[in-house]
Amino acid sequence: MKRILALVLAFALLLGLCSFAVAEEESNPWSDLDLSEYKEINFIIPGNKPTAFDEILGKANERMKELINTTVNFDFVSYGEFGTKLSLFLSSDDYDLVYGAYWLSFGDYVKNGGYKGFDWDFVEKYMPMTAKTQAPTSWREMKFGDLYYGITNSINSISANGVWTRQSILDKYGFQAEDIKNDEDLMQLMDAIAADTSSTGVYVFNPQGTYPLDTMYWFTGKNHMMDVNAGTATWMVWKYNTGKEFTVEDLQWFADTDEYRQFCLLMADFYKRGYFPASVISNDTMVDDNFTAGTSAITFGSPSGMNNLLQTITNDTPVFLNCLWDDESVTRRGNYFVYCVGFPPKSQNMERAAVALDCMKNDPIVNRLLVFGIEGRHYTLSEDGKYYNLGPEAADYPYFAIGNNAALQHDSDPQQALHPSVQKYQEMYEAAEVPADTFPINGFNYQCNYEAELSAVTALFNEYRFSFCFGIFGDQTEAKLDEFINQCKAMGIEDIIQDYRTQLAAYIAEQQ
């Protein structure tokens, strides 16, 4: 009897273990892959390494090792250096995952073999969760020919940029935030700051030399423009406040607009007024870091970014200046592709890198650690889980530090609970959203038929762009802009523009 009882208990235990194994296997979406060989994946992204990153990655790697027998190493490179060395990173066999972006001419790198393509079967096999959860439109944006070349964030939120300054700056120069209602008022404040720079060491605006000032406000925002491929050689713009519905024919190449000419001249005037450091073009320190350190009097950003500063800057009070918004301003949801992650051609671990990225994007524990940090320290959640607040140690692991550049965010992520002083601006931006068919270009991915010409124009664009952004050409600005435009036309930009319009018209027709 005892023997029979022992056999029954043993059988029951075996059934329990089998049930546990089945449940565990079912909860692991990668369990059908052969992951028996341990792998380390190397991931390179731009930015500054957060103070708490090693601790957080350690916890994430413990989980990933359990799930997929894989750990990930992150290599952080400053934004300025990343832009100049991306081709080296992509041609190296040291990395398995590499950041890509519009501002880094992602499409051009793809066409030149910088990123390795993959098909949908690859996605379903090695990234099964991303295949299920990623926004469908985002895949169209990553497709060149028959293959995909990257994985984007799956987040597409509404916001807009305003100007931030510090209360001490306003007090010093006798301004009230509510009195700065437009860019003319803002320039009065900036003039006062610039007049004191030699004695204070505080610049009006102290950014890195690759800061895209043209996309932040002074060109597109100021002139009520929607754009596509912003910050690239094929940057196209459309004015939405003319009363006309969108037509492909009304798209303009950015440099050939009167508005861009006025932007370049305005930046040259800003440079003369001392708004930027004389050496701005060689600066590689992020503007938000300089703002936090007190060497930049203003920075640009969204209400959520302002909310972060309200909680992380303790020696002063950051102030949001609502001076870049008027009755004609609108917001829209654009493409998912702003940043992405791709596979460099020489990686020996492409399949495992895809599994690791899938895990980082979709395992709830790993993803929450890498995007938000440690709950209770770097963030706290509302009772319903829909909102998060910055925790007492948020400065050690800022939101967006990793998730944004590693394409780990989702539309379903908790939204930031904003301080009442900036929540009203976020609501204002959300209320101004226009439908996608106002500017129906979402999901469009231009496939240039003039690759040699576009490569030449891109090189020229990269040579001139940030000198225009910071007024480096001074009194020669207009001549330099004419020189740039004429050289681009000689290289074939007009053929590229027509090719662009033709493809976009065909794409829109397909969606209808």
Side-chain angles (χ1 to χ4, degrees):
M1 184 70 182
K2 289 181 179 179
R3 185 179 177 188
I4 294 173
L5 181 60
L7 287 172
V8 170
L9 290 173
F11 184 66
L13 177 61
L14 180 61
L15 284 177
L17 288 173
C18 289
S19 298
F20 176 78
V22 169
E24 184 180 53
E25 183 175 339
E26 288 178 348
S27 67
N28 185 337
W30 309 281
S31 59
D32 59 342
L33 296 172
D34 181 5
L35 305 174
S36 57
E37 183 182 357
Y38 169 73
K39 294 279 188 180
E40 288 188 14
I41 297 303
N42 296 318
F43 193 168
I44 185 166
I45 63 174
N48 298 319
K49 181 179 176 179
T51 303
F53 181 71
D54 288 342
E55 178 189 5
I56 289 167
L57 181 62
K59 293 178 181 295
N61 272 334
E62 285 180 14
R63 171 74 172 171
M64 284 192 283
K65 192 169 183 180
E66 292 175 4
L67 290 173
I68 59 174
N69 200 24
T70 307
T71 58
V72 180
N73 305 312
F74 280 81
D75 195 356
F76 293 86
V77 178
S78 71
Y79 277 88
E81 186 178 1
F82 197 95
T84 59
K85 293 185 177 180
L86 177 56
S87 60
L88 297 177
F89 302 148
L90 289 170
S91 62
S92 168
D93 58 4
D94 293 335
Y95 300 106
D96 306 299
L97 295 169
V98 179
Y99 169 94
Y102 270 135
W103 70 274
L104 291 170
S105 301
F106 177 78
D108 296 325
Y109 274 105
V110 167
K111 293 168 190 173
N112 292 318
Y115 292 90
K116 192 170 183 178
F118 51 93
D119 59 19
W120 189 248
D121 289 341
F122 177 90
V123 176
E124 289 190 312
K125 181 174 182 178
Y126 297 107
M127 304 190 73
M129 295 303 296
T130 301
K132 294 176 182 178
T133 62
Q134 190 80 9
T137 300
S138 71
W139 290 112
R140 292 202 299 269
E141 296 164 20
M142 290 283 94
K143 195 170 186 179
F144 293 75
D146 296 328
L147 298 176
Y148 304 95
Y149 286 85
I151 301 94
T152 72
N153 284 287
S154 194
I155 190 169
N156 193 7
S157 56
I158 284 288
S159 193
N161 288 312
V163 173
W164 317 338
T165 189
R166 292 168 171 265
Q167 187 61 50
S168 62
I169 294 288
L170 295 174
D171 293 343
K172 179 178 177 64
Y173 298 105
F175 286 83
Q176 300 290 327
E178 57 270 23
D179 294 334
I180 303 177
K181 300 176 181 178
N182 52 48
D183 56 346
E184 288 80 11
D185 295 337
L186 178 62
M187 286 182 64
Q188 291 183 31
L189 172 62
M190 294 194 295
D191 280 339
I193 297 166
D196 257 3
T197 295
S198 60
S199 60
T200 64
V202 179
Y203 288 92
V204 171
F205 190 61
N206 189 5
Q208 69 272 23
T210 55
Y211 185 88
L213 193 57
D214 44 12
T215 65
M216 299 305 291
Y217 166 70
W218 296 107
F219 170 43
T220 51
K222 178 182 172 68
N223 294 295
H224 301 104
M225 288 178 167
M226 294 178 181
D227 56 10
V228 58
N229 288 10
T232 72
T234 53
W235 188 0
M236 305 289 280
V237 297
W238 175 68
K239 287 182 71 69
Y240 59 74
N241 66 335
T242 63
K244 295 176 60 178
E245 291 189 3
F246 173 79
T247 64
V248 169
E249 291 73 25
D250 287 335
L251 270 180
Q252 291 182 277
W253 182 53
F254 79 102
D256 224 4
T257 63
D258 290 337
E259 289 83 0
Y260 189 73
R261 185 172 297 269
Q262 294 308 311
F263 161 76
C264 293
L265 292 171
L266 181 63
M267 294 306 103
D269 182 52
F270 282 9
Y271 187 80
K272 284 182 181 178
R273 292 172 183 244
Y275 289 2
F276 315 125
S279 60
V280 60
I281 206 70
S282 61
N283 188 12
D284 63 1
T285 306
M286 297 285 288
V287 63
D288 281 359
D289 292 335
N290 288 331
F291 183 78
T292 301
T295 61
S296 186
I298 68 168
T299 188
F300 288 87
S302 65
S304 63
M306 177 63 191
N307 194 83
N308 294 350
L309 288 180
L310 281 170
Q311 298 188 50
T312 56
I313 294 181
T314 58
N315 61 347
D316 204 341
T317 303
V319 179
F320 191 86
L321 302 178
N322 186 33
C323 56
L324 307 184
W325 189 262
D326 61 34
D327 293 339
E328 294 183 323
S329 299
V330 301
T331 56
R332 72 180 186 92
R333 295 184 188 272
N335 284 353
Y336 280 90
F337 175 40
V338 178
Y339 316 110
C340 73
V341 173
F343 306 100
K346 291 186 179 180
S347 168
Q348 300 301 307
N349 300 302
M350 181 175 175
E351 291 82 6
R352 189 65 67 90
V355 175
L357 183 60
D358 197 39
C359 184
M360 289 188 289
K361 285 174 72 71
N362 296 288
D363 179 71
I365 295 174
V366 174
N367 183 261
R368 186 60 59 84
L369 279 167
L370 293 176
V371 173
F372 290 93
I374 298 172
E375 187 172 4
R377 290 171 52 187
H378 305 112
Y379 73 98
T380 59
L381 285 178
S382 61
E383 289 186 7
D384 58 9
K386 293 181 179 179
Y387 298 94
Y388 75 92
N389 281 293
L390 300 185
E393 300 174 36
D396 293 338
Y397 199 80
Y399 182 65
F400 285 129
I402 304 302
N404 206 31
N405 290 347
L408 303 183
Q409 296 167 318
H410 305 274
D411 282 325
S412 58
D413 288 345
Q415 300 297 301
Q416 186 171 15
L418 302 178
H419 189 277
S421 65
V422 292
Q423 178 65 40
K424 59 183 178 181
Y425 298 120
Q426 179 62 25
E427 292 173 358
M428 178 178 71
Y429 296 148
E430 291 174 354
E433 180 185 356
V434 295
D437 57 7
T438 299
F439 188 50
I441 55 82
N442 288 3
F444 175 62
N445 185 358
Y446 175 51
Q447 312 280 314
C448 185
N449 290 312
Y450 299 88
E451 292 189 14
E453 293 86 347
L454 180 56
S455 179
V457 171
T458 296
L460 196 67
F461 172 75
N462 292 336
E463 178 184 340
Y464 280 82
R465 181 189 180 191
F466 293 105
S467 292
F468 287 138
C469 275
F470 300 116
I472 304 300
F473 292 128
D475 292 340
Q476 296 299 309
T477 294
E478 201 156 13
K480 286 291 186 180
L481 179 58
D482 289 335
E483 176 182 283
F484 170 72
I485 293 171
N486 290 334
Q487 288 187 55
C488 287
K489 289 183 176 179
M491 292 172 178
I493 189 62
E494 291 174 316
D495 291 331
I496 295 170
I497 292 168
Q498 187 54 49
D499 183 41
Y500 191 102
R501 289 182 177 134
T502 299
Q503 289 189 37
L504 179 58
Y507 172 80
I508 293 172
E510 289 174 2
Q511 308 308 307
Q512 294 175 343

